[in-house]
Amino acid sequence: MKPIAGSRRDPMPNAKAIAGAAPDERLEVTVLLRRGNADDLDARIRGLASGDPGDGCLSREAFAERYSAREADIAAVERFAAAHGLSVVGKHPARRTVILSGTVAQLQAAFGVELHQFAHPNGTYRGRTGEVHVPDELSGVVKAVLGLDNRPQAKPHFRQASSAAVSYTPVQLAALYGFPPGDGEGECIALIELGGGYKPADLTSYFAAIGVAAPSVVAVSVDHATNAPSGDPSSADGEVMLDIEVAGAIAPKAKIAVYFAPNTDAGFLDAVTTAAHDATNKPSIISISWGGPESSWTSQSMTALDQAIQAAATMGVTVCVASGDNGSSDGESDNADHVDFPASSSFALACGGTSLQASSSAISKETVWNDGSSGGASGGGVSSFFALPDWQKGLSATKSGGAAAPLAKRGVPDVCGDADPETGYQVRVDGENTVYGGTSAVAPLWAGLIARINQAKGSPVGFINPALYKSMAALRDITSGNNGDFTASTGWDACTGLGSPNGSAVAKALGG
């Protein structure tokens, strides 16, 4: 057997193995296969990255026809499963995934791993250490095996205000940011949620209170997860409701499709691939408000999710991702700088955060969000994993001491918007009216803007990063504040990216 490149796992910090995993426990794993017609797809993706989409965005049907996993590769995994007593419970050629089900004992034997129960300060999880293995004939065919380890992979990036003196409805923020007119009719915004849920009665009350027609909201189950509100506003319910209410208020006639998945590396990947390839709801925008430091991911899982976002881009889907709420450290305690993934994917629109004050109907002050007392701050910095994209070449990240270093790898974020809980968003969660902030709010804010632009343009704008970096004047440059180790500066910076939206100018830059 051979190890899968990048599959090595280490225990979570402060976690200890307390027992072997129950051998008869049954679980499902996601097996990711190599790309079909890979050379052609890689060329198309390079074109997107350079701002030259070639013959344009592909339909989902055309993508599936050209780039699905090879039938022979799927058949090889089926033979492997049969040999180890595993069941094939799902095959998704366009998503390049085969879902296998089996007991712990069967999966340990099949993939050359040992699974244990680990205890850590926040609970327990089933985990593994070392690498995942496949037989020689599947080496190079199988690119990732996810789901053996069920540790929580990501955190939601929202924060509840303590005593917000200033707050806004999403409609007010859209006006302050000069969003073009529109209601998102004909568009679908996909929201990725790794826990929590929403209550329709809360949505009805919220939209009635702000004077906006309630959008159509549908829940999509991924890997058996469902809409499951806990009733606690400080739980993941807060993330789900914030996402729906922000996107829905800005684009009330867009369909809001909420993809519920387990909070694991497999669940995250499956949610994004399900949304990207959903031929029923057909999202034109995916908004993601969950993530974790790059150091908490395996390279196989980061590569897999990055390629899923690339695939979305080739189909004209814009992917907006929150950059994190813990400043330049991204919540790590090693005194080093970290960025959040999947915001650090070069094919994501990484969304950082500001603190915004307005007088009358205009913005009077906007600075980097950094609440030193609570530790909340706009996530941003330089990736340790992803290469420098063409559209960021020549840019520099300015440290808080004033020194500027040219970007060597992908810089985060790309854009920003109001995220400070103390100048936050009016929301309703689990029967309570409250105020939330966090970069979680910025991803659906931008998703709503893109929905309006798509509606006016009559076609999806798709992957917009190259166009935005060529049109910096379309953004409101933020030049004051810091997120810890990085400071705002003229032009792009590692706190707020290019800046917050001047909505109509962004629309013009994107051809809308």
Side-chain angles (χ1 to χ4, degrees), residues 295-376:
S295 56
S296 69
W297 296 76
T298 62
S299 60
Q300 68 162 355
S301 58
M302 276 200 289
T303 299
L305 191 47
D306 176 54
Q307 290 183 350
I309 296 172
Q310 292 176 19
T314 67
M315 293 181 284
V317 180
T318 308
V319 183
C320 306
V321 187
S323 73
D325 293 353
N326 292 290
S328 57
S329 73
D330 204 30
E332 297 291 84
S333 56
D334 58 1
N335 296 316
D337 295 328
H338 295 270
V339 293
D340 212 69
F341 179 77
S344 61
S345 164
S346 295
F347 287 82
L349 181 72
C351 301
T354 66
S355 179
L356 181 146
Q357 296 178 21
S359 58
S360 299
S361 58
I363 295 172
S364 57
K365 184 179 181 181
E366 193 168 15
T367 61
V368 179
W369 167 43
N370 188 345
D371 180 0
S373 62
S374 71

Side-chain angles (χ1 to χ4, degrees), residues 128-142:
R128 61 178 179 83
T129 56
E131 297 165 310
V132 179
H133 299 79
V134 291
D136 292 356
E137 62 269 21
L138 291 182
S139 180
V141 173
V142 172

Side-chain angles (χ1 to χ4, degrees), residues 4-39:
I4 298 174
S7 64
R8 180 178 179 81
R9 263 293 199 196
D10 294 315
M12 291 178 67
N14 301 313
K16 293 182 179 180
I18 54 175
D24 58 352
E25 178 189 357
R26 196 161 192 89
L27 54 136
E28 293 180 1
V29 298
T30 296
V31 177
L32 183 72
L33 303 177
R34 61 186 170 185
R35 290 171 158 178
N37 204 5
D39 291 343

